[in-house]
Amino acid sequence: MEKLIITAAVTGSLVTPEQNPGLPVTPEEIASAAIESAGAGAAMVHLHVRDPESGRPVHDADLFADVIGRIRARSDVIVNISTGGGPGMSFDERIGVIPALAARPGLKPEVASLNAGSVNFGILSQRTGEFVMSAVQENPWPELKRFAETMSRHDVKPEIEIYEAGMIHNAVVLESIGALRAPLHFQFVLGVLGALQARVDNLVFLKNSLPPGATWSVCAVGLEIFEMAPVAIASGGHVRVGLEDTVFLAPGVKVRSNRELVAKIADMAQWIGRPLATPEEAREMLHIRNAAGKEGDS
Ligand code: ZN
């Protein structure tokens, strides 16, 4: 079996600093969380950025550049940025950061997330029975194609986010029209309210539905990642973990840092007997062509 790639999703766009004070917000906090996660075994970091004052999610090329510059000065971890953004962000805002960063020497992300369809996203309060958040994460076909082609043009490897089984076929369609290039890399995002639940049988069905030669990783909302991760580790997949996805380390135990979550997955891998990939090994396994974003852009 290939080595395990752990991705640390350090901040995301939905968790608030009030929910967990360990959530990194400023560029330095986000960069430090990324570097600490790499130290604990992550080969890749998945980034969003936030307004340093309010902590609100924003999709701003200057903030991304600040974070990526800080990370690259101290670590060779693979930088993966979101193009899913957050609720209320426009398509142009979400994808615009790719050309904006590609235009800055040494700051182009190597990987970017590419949501492969629309999701009827929500958060339900178990306590009150109220929907505390509801947002349709819209990704119509013309935008899917434009996002994929923009990444391809700038040699940024798409990480295809799969919330529902049919989205795998969407990616295959995009490949058939030349918008995506094989081998494809997938991230299964399970347990989001409005999409596929985080269950072992769902994960097995998804991985068995992938096109030949594809690589895959799984993340899940809340504590369910700790049920999905061992399945992925034991069956040749990869794992994403981080405060973007869960603010708990165990039932009733709040996470203090992203590092702790990465360390928990690294421990699982050790128990199962699967070594961790370094960033350099992960680049090779994922066929990332623009190592460290330093090669010429077109
Ligand atoms: Zn994200």
Side-chain angles (χ1 to χ4, degrees):
M1 214 183 284
E2 280 189 314
K3 291 186 177 178
L4 176 70
I5 301 169
I6 300 178
T7 297
V10 295
T11 188
S13 64
L14 293 175
V15 172
T16 63
E18 291 72 39
Q19 276 176 288
N20 191 306
L23 187 79
V25 167
T26 66
E28 179 51 32
E29 286 169 358
I30 294 171
S32 294
I35 292 158
E36 285 174 23
S37 296
M44 174 148 62
V45 291
H46 168 76
L47 304 175
H48 293 242
V49 285
R50 290 170 179 266
D51 180 288
E53 300 299 318
S54 68
R56 275 186 302 107
V58 288
H59 222 62
D60 179 272
D62 290 336
L63 286 170
F64 271 118
D66 192 349
V67 173
I68 295 170
R70 288 169 195 264
I71 293 172
R72 291 216 169 122
R74 286 136 72 189
S75 171
D76 74 335
V77 70
I78 299 169
V79 170
N80 161 338
I81 70 162
S82 173
T83 69
M89 291 178 190
S90 71
F91 297 117
D92 287 346
E93 267 179 280
R94 286 166 48 194
I95 192 62
V97 292
I98 299 290
L101 290 168
R104 305 181 192 200
L107 295 176
K108 184 168 74 172
E110 293 168 84
V111 178
S113 65
L114 174 68
N115 290 357
S118 301
V119 180
N120 197 12
F121 216 94
I123 297 177
L124 176 68
S125 165
Q126 296 294 341
R127 197 168 47 80
T128 64
E130 298 292 327
F131 292 98
V132 290
M133 197 280 279
S134 176
V136 178
Q137 158 73 264
E138 243 189 300
N139 294 289
W141 281 109
E143 295 298 344
L144 289 182
K145 183 167 178 281
R146 175 166 77 116
F147 277 40
E149 285 173 345
T150 302
M151 292 181 200
S152 181
R153 190 162 57 246
H154 293 288
D155 247 341
V156 172
K157 173 93 183 182
E159 178 194 81
I160 305 160
E161 314 292 298
I162 300 297
Y163 294 76
E164 286 286 358
M167 291 183 188
I168 294 173
H169 182 64
N170 295 356
V172 171
V173 169
L174 290 171
E175 191 205 338
S176 75
I177 58 172
L180 287 173
R181 280 194 298 244
L184 304 181
H185 178 60
F186 293 87
Q187 180 77 254
F188 302 133
V189 185
L190 302 182
V192 170
L193 181 63
L196 203 60
Q197 292 154 286
R199 290 169 40 152
V200 171
D201 47 0
N202 288 345
L203 178 57
V204 171
F205 173 70
L206 289 176
K207 86 172 185 64
N208 290 342
S209 304
L210 292 177
T215 46
W216 64 276
S217 173
V218 67
C219 63
V221 175
L223 290 168
E224 287 168 336
I225 184 56
F226 302 122
E227 296 169 24
M228 299 300 104
V231 180
I233 296 168
S235 61
H238 304 285
V239 177
R240 175 178 116 177
V241 74
L243 277 157
E244 171 162 354
D245 304 327
T246 180
V247 295
F248 289 100
L249 188 64
V253 182
K254 281 215 172 177
V255 177
R256 281 170 303 187
S257 66
N258 280 281
R259 183 181 214 294
E260 256 185 343
L261 287 165
V262 173
K264 181 162 174 170
I265 302 301
D267 281 349
M268 283 185 185
Q270 195 179 19
W271 276 101
I272 293 170
R274 191 162 164 208
L276 303 184
T278 64
E280 216 33 62
E281 289 166 338
R283 283 184 182 97
E284 198 151 310
M285 289 156 62
L286 300 180
H287 307 273
I288 292 171
R289 306 199 315 176
N290 65 331
K294 283 173 187 150
E295 282 174 26
D297 193 21
S298 53

